[in-house]
Amino acid sequence: MIIKRFTAAMVAVLALGAGAAHADWPERPVTIVVPFAAGQTGDMIARMVGKELETRFGKAFIVENRPGSGGRIGTTYAARAKPDGYTLLMTSTGPYAITPALYPNDTKYDPLKDFVGIAETASTPQVIAVSNASGIASFSDLVKRAKAKDLSYGSAGNGSLQHLTMELLKKEIGFPMVHVPFKGSAESKTALIANTLEVTSDSLPPLLTSIKANQIKAVAVVDNKRSAYIPDVPTLGELGYPKLSAVAFFGLVAPQGTPREVVQAINREVIAMFKTPAFQEQMQAQALTAPTERTPEQFSAYLAEEVGRWKKVVEQANVTVD
């Protein structure tokens, strides 16, 4: 009986000690690893979120850019970091859900085993846009033209979400188009404006200014709900393709094993910050959609669904990278 009481007391003390160890988190700066170059959408979101978390937790949240290899460099680094709550990763659809499917032998992290979801931070739908000189006035025009003659479409690069979005459309709708990979969204958009490219698929933020200025024309939102930023542009769901959806997510994850209390604390503050008018204004300025409110467990489940979905797209579309 004495031994049992002693054991129970020790368990209670250890549990209290574990809780106390996380009660003062963070005691030093927290690093948010960004697997994208500075200035890209994921980087901007990380800096917005990091600045707000600094205010809420009273410690610095430092953004560290580690771009390259489709996000694999930064993501691998974060996966190997100590799971103590002081290294987080701002990820997105590309490096988290697409890259592992495209590079199964060269990806040194498993998104489902090496990370735990914290919170979604933003999303944005893919948009199909055409050049003004193409003569294409609607998505139905695009389909007719693609089936009647050779068309080329540009993307931000081989294996990018933009690339897979168009390959998904090609397979489901049944029209041939030639892929022209660029070195990023800026290059493909420039070619579209210059009328040297006829079609592109991209996230809304990099295209919005040019759409508003009538430099290019958006013909469809690849989702089932219209975007508040371009409300006159129909969705593929409205156009008769309800199964076609390509929405880029952005979110915070942490190395697997990060204390649950830390993950929950960050989740609560991220959800709270997105409810403030000031932060909503920042999101609108970047043409981003506010995140869906989810618990860490719900966000992890969503991430698993995305990993499975895009792996299936890669396999069914027979997408390869050079």
Side-chain angles (χ1 to χ4, degrees):
M1 180 64 72
I2 293 175
I3 293 175
K4 289 183 177 179
R5 288 177 180 175
F6 176 77
T7 302
M10 286 302 296
V11 169
V13 169
L14 290 172
L16 178 62
H22 306 311
D24 295 329
W25 179 94
E27 297 180 303
R28 53 186 171 84
V30 177
T31 297
I32 301 177
V33 177
V34 176
F36 322 107
Q40 292 189 9
T41 303
D43 173 70
M44 291 188 290
I45 296 171
R47 294 179 189 280
M48 289 163 54
V49 171
K51 184 178 180 180
E52 183 68 23
L53 290 177
E54 282 187 4
T55 301
R56 291 173 177 268
F57 285 107
K59 293 293 180 181
F61 278 70
I62 301 168
V63 172
E64 183 176 315
N65 297 90
R66 288 179 174 265
S69 298
R72 283 179 289 167
I73 292 176
T75 305
T76 300
Y77 174 84
R80 294 174 177 174
K82 186 177 180 180
D84 55 6
Y86 290 95
T87 300
L88 310 177
L89 174 71
M90 177 62 72
T91 192
S92 71
T93 307
Y96 202 89
I98 294 176
T99 297
L102 284 172
Y103 304 92
N105 299 321
D106 296 323
T107 299
K108 299 178 181 179
Y109 60 87
D110 184 324
L112 302 183
K113 294 181 180 180
D114 294 336
F115 294 100
V116 58
I118 299 177
E120 184 180 4
T121 53
S123 66
T124 179
Q126 294 294 293
V127 175
I128 309 301
V130 298
S131 68
N132 290 335
S134 67
I136 298 171
S138 65
F139 187 74
S140 60
D141 281 351
L142 170 61
V143 174
K144 291 176 184 177
R145 184 78 62 84
K147 289 183 176 181
K149 58 169 287 190
D150 290 337
L151 277 182
S152 59
Y153 76 88
S155 79
N158 274 319
S160 64
L161 176 59
Q162 296 89 333
H163 176 198
L164 289 186
T165 296
M166 290 303 295
E167 291 300 316
L168 180 63
L169 264 62
K170 285 170 58 177
K171 182 179 184 302
E172 292 295 326
I173 299 174
F175 58 78
M177 293 183 76
V178 179
H179 178 217
V180 181
F182 288 83
K183 293 181 179 180
S185 295
E187 285 192 10
S188 62
K189 185 178 76 170
T190 298
L192 203 67
I193 293 173
N195 297 315
T196 57
L197 180 71
E198 296 163 301
V199 185
T200 194
S201 163
D202 209 338
S203 297
L204 181 57
L207 295 180
L208 184 60
T209 300
S210 296
I211 292 171
K212 295 290 188 182
N214 295 317
Q215 294 175 313
I216 58 178
K217 181 176 178 60
V219 295
V221 174
V222 190
D223 197 9
N224 289 319
K225 60 181 179 180
R226 294 198 181 199
S227 168
Y229 300 106
I230 46 174
D232 295 333
V233 180
T235 67
L236 285 185
E238 294 175 67
L239 296 171
Y241 308 100
K243 294 182 180 180
L244 295 180
S245 177
V247 178
F249 70 80
F250 296 88
L252 281 175
V253 298
Q256 189 66 252
T258 298
R260 187 166 181 265
E261 299 94 328
V262 173
V263 170
Q264 290 178 323
I266 300 172
N267 174 274
R268 285 193 298 268
E269 296 304 328
V270 168
I271 289 174
M273 77 172 69
F274 280 108
K275 292 180 179 179
T276 64
F279 209 89
Q280 289 173 6
E281 288 181 8
Q282 292 185 59
M283 294 285 288
Q284 291 169 4
Q286 301 296 332
L288 294 167
T289 303
T292 300
E293 184 175 326
R294 297 184 176 96
T295 65
E297 293 77 16
Q298 290 171 333
F299 185 51
S300 292
Y302 167 77
L303 291 174
E305 290 176 2
E306 286 294 286
V307 169
R309 185 166 80 95
W310 286 107
K311 180 180 180 180
K312 188 175 181 180
V313 170
V314 169
E315 292 173 346
Q316 291 184 343
N318 295 317
V319 176
T320 58
V321 290
D322 299 324

